[in-house]
């Protein structure tokens, strides 16, 4: 299927000659999660949840960032830009590098040294970006990127670029188009808070167009060690193994709070342990391998059910923001630590293997 700008050309009001730079992003699977629902029923008593994972790890560069990047880069092309720049915990740089490569732009990415998952770094390298590793975290990288943008010579494609947020609205459109209604609750990880802002805008747009009647409650989850919005203060040294949400000063802070308040939702935090449990549970019981930050949405759902914040029989969507292959180190470490992987050393002998697995 065509990418999101082609598919939602009318919703976005794009002219026919708009220069779309696309990798056929979007149209990602909305996967029912009956095992998570059963687990929640058993452990919290909240019953009858219809849970769907919006698996945005299935995008061309493996994260939802492609939805915003197709629009930001197309607009940069429309405006005649030659260079784009972003600060990134990894996925924004992968998407910027890919879309930039596709239309022949120079791509500059600033990443926090040693804190970018291996898969993401390999992507930026393969797509031929110029990579600057800074001695500092994401928030410091973004501060420099804002200054580079102020020179007027290079277009910033972080989510402070409004076209990023516009493009990311398409995930909410797809969910409503597929469910033929809006969910009751939408659970989503919160890092820089661009995506929760985009979903809320997208659901509102669809309500204005009359495509949906009701709006979901927006349920956003930060990692506990990086929970600036929850704590109400900037965190100078944010920490979490979920590196995509390791952000201490979210750029769309106020918009995220507005989404929470207007939707009567929540922004809360989940611990690394809760994220890690949801991460392996999704893979081992649903067959869905997302990256750690993505699992904050499902960890949040489980926590909200424990706190009795979710009504029985609700229709729930959870955004899974990125592909598990982005971060093989976390996958190997946690599946091992939690005993998810059963690794056996045996002779190359069928009887020994049958004996070991009890058949
Ligand atoms: C960017 C990203 C997030 C955080 O999204 P924000 O829009 O910054 O809140 C979460 N998960 C993954 C995998 C990401 O790449």
């Amino acid at each position: 299927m065509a990418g999101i700008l082609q598919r939602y050309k009318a919703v976005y009001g794009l002219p026919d000659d708009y220069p779309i730079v696309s990798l056929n992003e979007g149209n990602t699977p909305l996967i029912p999660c009956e095992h998570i629902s059963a687990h929640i029923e058993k452990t919290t008593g909240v019953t009858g949840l219809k849970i769907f994972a919006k698996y945005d790890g299935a995008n061309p560069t493996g994260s939802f960032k492609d939805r915003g990047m197709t629009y930001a880069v197309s607009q940069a092309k429309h405006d005649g830009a030659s260079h784009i720049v972003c600060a990134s915990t990894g996925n924004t740089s992968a998407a910027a590098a890919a879309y930039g490569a596709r239309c022949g732009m120079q791509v500059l990415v600033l990443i926090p040294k040693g804190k970018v998952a291996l898969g993401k770094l390999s992507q930026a390298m393969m797509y031929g970006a110029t990579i600057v590793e800074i001695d500092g975290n994401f928030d410091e990288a973004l501060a420099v990127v804002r200054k580079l943008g102020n020179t007027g010579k290079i277009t910033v494609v972080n989510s402070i670029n409004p076209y990023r947020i516009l493009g990311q609205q398409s995930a909410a459109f797809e969910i409503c188009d597929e469910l033929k209604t809006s969910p009751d609750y939408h659970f989503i990880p919160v890092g820089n808070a661009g995506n929760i802002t985009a979903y809320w805008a997208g659901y509102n747009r669809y309500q204005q167009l009359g495509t949906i009647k009701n709006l979901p409650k927006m349920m956003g989850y930060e990692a506990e060690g990086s929970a600036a919005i929850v704590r109400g203060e900037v965190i100078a040294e944010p920490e979490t193994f979920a590196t995509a949400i390791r952000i201490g000063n979210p750029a769309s802070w106020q918009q995220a709070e507005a989404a929470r308040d207007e939707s009567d939702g929540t922004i809360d935090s989940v611990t690394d342990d809760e994220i890690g449990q949801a991460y392996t549970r999704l893979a081992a019981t649903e067959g869905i391998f997302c990256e750690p930050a993505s699992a904050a949405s499902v960890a949040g759902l489980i926590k909200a059910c424990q706190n009795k914040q979710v009504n029985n029989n609700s229709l729930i969507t959870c955004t899974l923001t990125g592909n598990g292959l982005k971060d093989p180190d976390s996958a190997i470490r946690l599946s091992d630590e939690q005993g998810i992987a059963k690794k056996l050393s045996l002779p190359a002998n069928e009887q020994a293997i049958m004996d070991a697995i009890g058949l």
Side-chain angles (χ1 to χ4, degrees), residues 63-65 91 189-195 244-245 247 291 293-294 321-322:
S63 87
F64 76 85
K65 300 297 198 297
N91 282 333
V190 174
N192 222 10
N195 213 24
I245 54 172
I247 290 172
E291 67 172 281
S294 308
T321 43

Side-chain angles (χ1 to χ4, degrees), residues 62-65 88-92 120 138 159 164-165 168 188-198 221 242-247 250-252 291-296 319-323 326:
S63 87
F64 76 85
K65 300 297 198 297
S88 181
T89 61
N91 282 333
T92 300
K120 306 178 189 183
F138 171 84
S159 58
R164 281 278 311 279
I165 306 286
Q168 288 168 207
I188 186 165
V190 174
N192 222 10
N195 213 24
I196 189 171
T197 302
Y221 288 84
T243 48
I245 54 172
R246 186 172 170 276
I247 290 172
S252 298
E291 67 172 281
S294 308
T319 302
L320 299 181
T321 43
N323 192 309
K326 294 270 193 177

Side-chain angles (χ1 to χ4, degrees), residues 95-118:
Y99 286 81
R102 193 158 174 84
C103 69
M105 282 185 201
Q106 297 295 312
V107 182
L108 177 63
V109 304
L110 274 66
I111 58 176
K113 195 169 186 172
K115 296 291 182 183
V116 169
L118 201 59

